[in-house]
C-alpha cells in the first residue's frame, strides 16, 4: 500500500533555531501534500497544502513566513519551522493521496509524525 | 456550521459491547468518506472507506446516509485494543478539499 515517510520522528531544539521536517511519498507521486499540527488532546489542524512546483496554500492564522513549505519534487515536501519557540512544540504530521488527488476514492495516507519540543 | 461534525464522546464501553459513532457533513457534494483510527501520540491510520451501499470489515461496519448527510461506524464485540480516537474524513468533489471531524475517543473497559 501507499506509504508516506516522515523524518525526523522527534526533535528537541532550542528556542530560536529552525527545524526542517521532511515528508516523502515512497511508492507514489503526490502533486499535493498536506501539513497538520496537533496539540495534546486536540484534533488535527490543517496548516497548509503543499503544491509541487508552486507556492503552498496556508490556512487562516498560519504564518507562512514562520512555517516555510517547499515541495520541490513529486515525492518530497518539507516544512521548516523557523525561529522556533516553545509554543511551537507540537505533533506535526504530513499526508498525501495516491493519484495526486485526482482519484476521489483514494484515502489520505499519513506520515508517522514529528514530535517537536522547543526548549 | 462546521463542515464535518462528530459525536463529542468520550465513549467508555465494556469489553464485548457494541458502539456506534456518527459523523455529519454539511456539503451535499461530498464525494468520498473514510474512517481513521488514531492512537495516542501516533498518526491517523485508515480504518476503512465508506461506500454508498455500506460496507463491513470484520467487527466494523460503515454506513453512509446521503439523504441525511451522515456516516456512521459501528463496532461490534469491542476489544480492549479498539481503544483509540476515531476520525471521520469527508472529501469534496474537487478532490483536494477534505475535512476532518474532531474525533471521538473510545475507551474499552475490561
Amino acid at each position: 500500500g501507499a506509504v508516506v515517510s516522515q523524518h525526523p520522528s522527534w526533535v528537541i531544539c532550542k528556542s530560536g533555531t529552525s527545524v526542517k521536517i521532511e515528508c516523502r511519498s515512497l511508492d507514489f507521486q503526490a502533486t499535493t501534500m498536506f501539513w497538520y499540527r496537533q496539540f495534546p488532546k486536540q484534533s488535527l489542524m490543517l496548516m497548509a497544502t503543499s503544491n509541487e512546483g508552486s507556492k503552498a496554500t496556508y490556512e487562516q492564522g498560519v504564518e507562512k513566513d514562520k512555517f516555510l513549505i517547499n515541495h520541490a519534487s513529486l515525492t518530497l515536501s518539507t516544512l521548516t519551522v523557523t525561529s522556533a519557540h516553545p509554543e511551537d512544540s507540537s505533533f506535526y504530521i504530513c499526508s498525501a493521496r495516491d493519484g495526486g488527488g485526482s482519484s476521489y476514492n483514494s484515502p489520505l495516507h499519513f506520515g508517522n509524525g514529528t514530535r517537536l519540543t522547543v526548549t | 456550521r462546521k463542515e464535518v461534525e462528530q459525536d463529542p464522546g468520550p465513549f467508555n464501553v465494556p469489553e464485548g459491547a457494541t458502539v456506534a459513532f456518527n459523523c455529519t457533513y454539511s456539503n451535499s457534494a461530498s464525494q468520498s468518506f473514510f474512517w481513521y483510527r488514531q492512537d495516542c501520540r501516533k498518526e491517523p491510520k485508515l480504518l476503512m472507506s465508506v461506500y454508498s451501499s455500506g460496507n463491513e470489515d470484520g467487527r466494523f461496519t460503515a454506513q453512509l446516509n446521503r439523504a441525511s448527510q451522515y456516516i456512521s461506524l459501528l463496532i461490534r464485540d469491542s476489544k480492549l485494543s479498539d481503544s483509540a480516537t476515531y476520525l471521520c474524513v469527508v472529501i469534496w468533489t474537487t478532490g483536494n478539499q477534505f475535512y476532518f471531524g474532531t474525533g471521538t475517543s473510545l475507551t474499552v473497559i475490561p
Side-chain angles (χ1 to χ4, degrees), chain A residues 77-100:
Chain A
S77 175
T78 61
L79 168 69
T80 301
V81 183
T82 62
S83 186
H85 288 93
E87 57 266 30
D88 297 324
S89 298
S90 188
F91 190 46
Y92 292 85
I93 312 174
C94 67
S95 73
R97 295 179 74 196
D98 195 355

Side-chain angles (χ1 to χ4, degrees), chain A residues 3-71:
Chain A
V3 176
V4 174
S5 174
Q6 192 172 336
H7 177 80
S9 297
W10 59 271
V11 60
I12 301 172
C13 70
K14 291 186 177 180
S15 188
T17 60
S18 294
V19 176
K20 180 186 281 188
I21 303 170
E22 293 187 348
C23 181
R24 293 180 185 274
S25 55
L26 296 186
D27 55 359
F28 65 98
Q29 293 183 330
T31 55
T32 305
M33 291 185 176
F34 307 95
W35 287 98
Y36 312 81
R37 180 167 53 181
Q38 186 175 35
F39 292 105
K41 298 187 179 181
Q42 294 189 23
S43 59
L44 284 169
M45 292 179 55
L46 180 66
M47 298 176 65
T49 301
S50 172
N51 304 298
E52 187 269 335
S54 64
K55 291 182 179 180
T57 305
Y58 290 82
E59 296 299 301
Q60 193 171 11
V62 178
E63 299 176 56
K64 62 179 181 180
D65 294 329
K66 181 168 182 66
F67 298 99
L68 300 179
I69 290 173
N70 183 281
H71 195 152

Side-chain angles (χ1 to χ4, degrees), chain B residues 84-105:
Chain B
T85 296
Y86 291 83
L87 300 165
C88 60
V89 175
V90 176
I91 300 178
W92 290 4
T93 52
T94 55
N96 272 342
Q97 285 180 287
F98 59 92
Y99 297 91
F100 287 86
T102 52
T104 300
S105 175

